[in-house]
Amino acid sequence: MHQKTENQNIDFHDAVGFFGVKVRETANPKSAGSLKQALAAFERFLDGRTVCFDEIDRQLLLDWLAWLFAEGYSLKTAIFYLKNLASLYGKAVGCGLAENSDAFRAVQTRIRNLPTALFDIKPDRQLVEKLQKMFYARHQGSERHRLSVDIVLFALFCGGLSFDEIIAWKKNDCRETHPAIREIVDRYARPKNKYLFPLEQSRRTPNQLLRNVKQLFEEALSSVDIRPAVLYSDLALDLWCTVALRCALSPARIVSCAGRRPRFNPIFALSSPVETEPEERAGIRNRVIALLTDDPIQWYAMQLRPRTSFKQFQDRIESTVRIPLSDIYYPFQNIAKKASNKVVFSKRPVVSGLLYFKCRDSEIGTFFRNLGDLAWGYKEGHDTDCPYASIPQAEIDRLQTAIGAFAAGSEAFPVGTIPLAPGDRVEVIGGIFSGRAGQFDAEKNDRSGNTLYRLLLPDGNGIEWKVSVDPRLVMKVSDKKSPASL
């Protein structure tokens, strides 16, 4: 959309851009502050995704409200933000940029009809980390404790089984091939057993079995400090849906995959199922299992928002986010300029505002919860529920070598870099001297104690230049290489 508002010489490519202008045009400071808060929360939810006015429909608004509840916002605040966003949308209608819509009114009605008791239960910010801890300690403790942990994990891995389903699960019922599920099945399946888990199904009454499973759940969860407000039969479904949110999935898609909605979770109270294929549902379940069982540290990329400085970003990182600054990589290039008969070097970002960072997949939600107003993360697609795009280490290594700027702690030394002796022939493989060949002269340290190689690089006029280069940008030339190549 490329329309212009009256008396404004601004092209609006997305709804958020228009809303931002209208916030800045609001004369009343209190009203402007309220609109700004609502818009900031909406922007953090979109996480860099551009939306047109006609995309702001019921489903998007419901997903936004679910996101607000997952972030810990109160019902009162969510209603307040929805009202302010509706006001901004009304301004777009008044300018002829958007069509009249009943989406805001319909969603306001639904949210006001929710039972307020739902919001007495606050989300556990560390739920995923606690369940990961349970998985990694699954072989520890008494036989009963190991059984309790396996039952909880099995219920989660299978998409949130109820207590009744766990009790009735037969050893041959499972068709899943995921290794984490098969490990549990193989541990308990016995030739003479009818049921998978040894709960004495033939000797106990249904009420006794339910009470026993409830106790096992409570024991397993309390061992990692998970203390749900209600221990009900669909507790595993509630936990599974909450974990799936950390996979950057929309509540509507999560409910569709689960097949039913958690009863005591406000995050999913407004979600209506959307159509999903069996392959997609299987993929979602596998993503949840991967998050709980395999959570490696990976590289991701983010973009600073307009009018956000790197200094602001650094200050926020140091004050609120647990990820150390050493895991943030903002690549700079050395720019050479001639001034007063000498060459002066200055640093400039390779791409302004584009940063790379290392963290676990389970930590990204926390990361952008604290930084979402300053930066947004790159995802695998344009939809809100697409996962964040991880970057292989090899790609980061290639980037660092190409521009000659390395992240803190990087040890990507090319083959042939060391050892070197004075007179060895070398080639610079990255940075501003990339492709130049010369001789290694000596090793030195800069003021920060970093190792540098001093090289002798001849130019086209036969003059030899002495330059200092990061060792990771130098490759020793094979003795078999022709001298003509130098």
Side-chain angles (χ1 to χ4, degrees):
M1 187 171 290
H2 300 275
Q3 301 182 41
K4 297 180 182 179
T5 58
E6 296 176 357
N7 303 320
Q8 296 279 348
N9 188 27
I10 300 175
D11 287 330
F12 294 104
H13 301 274
D14 64 278
V16 171
F18 173 83
F19 293 158
V21 170
K22 288 304 175 184
V23 168
R24 293 190 291 274
E25 288 180 350
T26 303
N28 186 296
K30 184 176 180 181
S31 298
S34 299
L35 294 172
K36 185 177 180 180
Q37 284 181 324
L39 180 58
F42 189 58
E43 281 191 275
R44 288 197 296 276
F45 158 71
L46 293 175
D47 195 27
R49 183 164 72 100
T50 299
V51 294
C52 300
F53 293 104
D54 57 4
E55 293 181 275
I56 303 178
D57 56 12
R58 293 189 191 190
Q59 190 58 60
L60 184 68
L61 294 175
L62 290 172
D63 287 345
W64 178 42
L65 289 172
W67 179 88
L68 288 173
F69 297 149
E71 294 294 300
Y73 288 91
S74 67
L75 176 62
K76 181 179 179 181
T77 300
I79 294 174
F80 182 65
Y81 282 1
L82 184 64
K83 177 183 176 182
N84 279 282
L85 193 69
S87 175
L88 290 171
Y89 186 88
K91 295 179 186 295
V93 173
C95 292
L97 296 175
E99 300 292 334
N100 277 308
S101 171
D102 66 346
F104 285 93
R105 186 179 299 107
V107 172
Q108 285 173 348
T109 300
R110 286 189 61 178
I111 192 174
R112 291 182 187 279
N113 289 334
L114 289 177
T116 55
L118 270 180
F119 298 89
D120 295 335
I121 303 173
K122 298 301 179 184
D124 186 344
R125 300 281 193 194
Q126 299 299 314
L127 177 66
V128 171
E129 289 77 11
K130 292 175 181 178
L131 290 173
Q132 288 171 340
K133 180 180 178 181
M134 178 191 294
F135 173 78
Y136 290 121
R138 65 193 183 280
H139 299 308
Q140 301 175 9
S142 67
E143 183 178 347
R144 177 179 172 85
H145 177 72
R146 294 197 300 272
L147 173 64
S148 71
V149 168
D150 281 335
I151 285 176
V152 171
L153 292 175
F154 186 79
L156 290 172
F157 294 164
C158 291
L161 300 179
S162 68
F163 291 171
D164 288 325
E165 288 173 316
I166 293 168
I167 294 168
W169 199 278
K170 297 181 178 64
K171 65 181 181 181
N172 296 323
D173 284 348
C174 189
R175 299 291 182 266
E176 295 283 351
T177 59
H178 194 286
I181 296 178
R182 295 310 312 177
E183 177 190 337
I184 297 175
V185 171
D186 293 342
R187 187 152 50 243
Y188 292 96
R190 296 290 183 272
K192 295 182 180 181
N193 291 355
K194 178 180 178 181
Y195 299 97
L196 177 61
F197 294 108
L199 301 172
E200 299 183 346
Q201 285 90 336
S202 61
R203 298 173 52 189
R204 292 178 171 176
T205 66
N207 284 338
Q208 288 175 330
L209 287 169
L210 283 173
R211 188 161 54 249
N212 186 32
V213 172
K214 181 179 178 180
Q215 290 172 349
L216 289 169
F217 256 75
E218 186 174 18
E219 289 172 20
L221 295 175
S222 63
S223 70
V224 288
D225 198 31
I226 298 176
R227 306 185 189 279
V230 183
L231 277 165
Y232 69 112
S233 183
D234 274 340
L235 176 58
L237 173 70
D238 193 327
L239 297 174
W240 184 88
C241 291
T242 305
V243 174
L245 279 174
R246 293 281 286 270
C247 296
L249 295 164
S250 69
R253 202 161 295 278
I254 292 170
V255 170
S256 296
C257 180
R260 58 196 191 279
R261 182 187 293 110
R263 288 163 44 206
F264 297 101
N265 196 322
I267 300 170
F268 303 96
L270 296 170
S271 301
S272 300
V274 296
E275 186 175 347
T276 54
E277 297 296 327
E279 295 80 6
E280 182 182 3
R281 292 194 291 274
I284 291 173
R285 286 194 294 271
N286 286 339
R287 283 171 63 181
V288 171
I289 295 175
L291 182 60
L292 294 176
T293 63
D294 182 20
D295 193 24
I297 297 175
Q298 301 184 90
W299 283 101
Y300 298 89
M302 63 180 156
Q303 180 69 45
L304 296 181
R305 296 189 184 278
R307 296 179 294 279
T308 297
S309 69
F310 185 54
K311 180 64 167 59
Q312 286 177 283
F313 176 82
Q314 283 183 305
D315 291 343
R316 182 74 63 83
I317 284 283
E318 292 175 343
S319 62
T320 64
V321 183
R322 290 182 298 173
I323 295 177
L325 278 173
S326 60
D327 287 340
I328 306 293
Y329 174 47
Y330 193 15
F332 284 84
Q333 279 182 318
N334 286 313
I335 306 299
K337 294 182 180 180
K338 192 172 183 180
S340 302
N341 297 322
K342 64 179 181 179
V343 178
V344 178
F345 291 93
S346 61
K347 287 190 174 183
R348 184 177 67 187
V350 175
V351 178
S352 181
L354 177 62
L355 289 82
Y356 302 87
F357 64 102
K358 287 193 296 185
C359 75
R360 298 185 186 278
D361 188 43
S362 61
E363 295 175 332
I364 293 184
T366 303
F367 187 87
F368 284 110
R369 184 180 301 121
N370 292 305
L371 292 163
D373 58 326
L374 301 181
W376 51 267
Y378 285 91
K379 294 189 172 185
E380 292 181 1
H382 297 293
D383 294 337
T384 304
D385 56 0
C386 282
Y388 289 93
S390 61
I391 305 171
Q393 181 65 50
E395 296 297 325
I396 295 293
D397 291 343
R398 277 195 283 270
L399 170 66
Q400 293 179 144
T401 300
I403 64 178
F406 293 89
S410 173
E411 296 182 355
F413 286 81
V415 175
T417 298
I418 53 177
L420 291 176
D424 280 347
R425 293 177 296 172
V426 297
E427 181 179 340
V428 183
I429 59 174
I432 61 175
F433 299 110
S434 181
R436 299 292 298 274
Q439 285 187 334
F440 174 72
D441 181 44
E443 184 177 300
K444 55 181 289 188
N445 293 324
D446 64 10
R447 293 179 180 177
S448 301
N450 299 315
T451 300
L452 298 175
Y453 284 175
R454 187 170 63 190
L455 307 180
L456 306 178
L457 301 181
D459 67 6
N461 299 317
I463 301 175
E464 200 166 57
W465 294 84
K466 292 183 179 180
V467 299
S468 296
V469 178
D470 189 298
R472 292 166 287 195
L473 299 177
V474 176
M475 181 175 66
K476 184 178 180 180
V477 177
S478 170
D479 292 334
K480 297 181 181 179
K481 199 166 186 178
S482 169
S485 64
L486 293 176

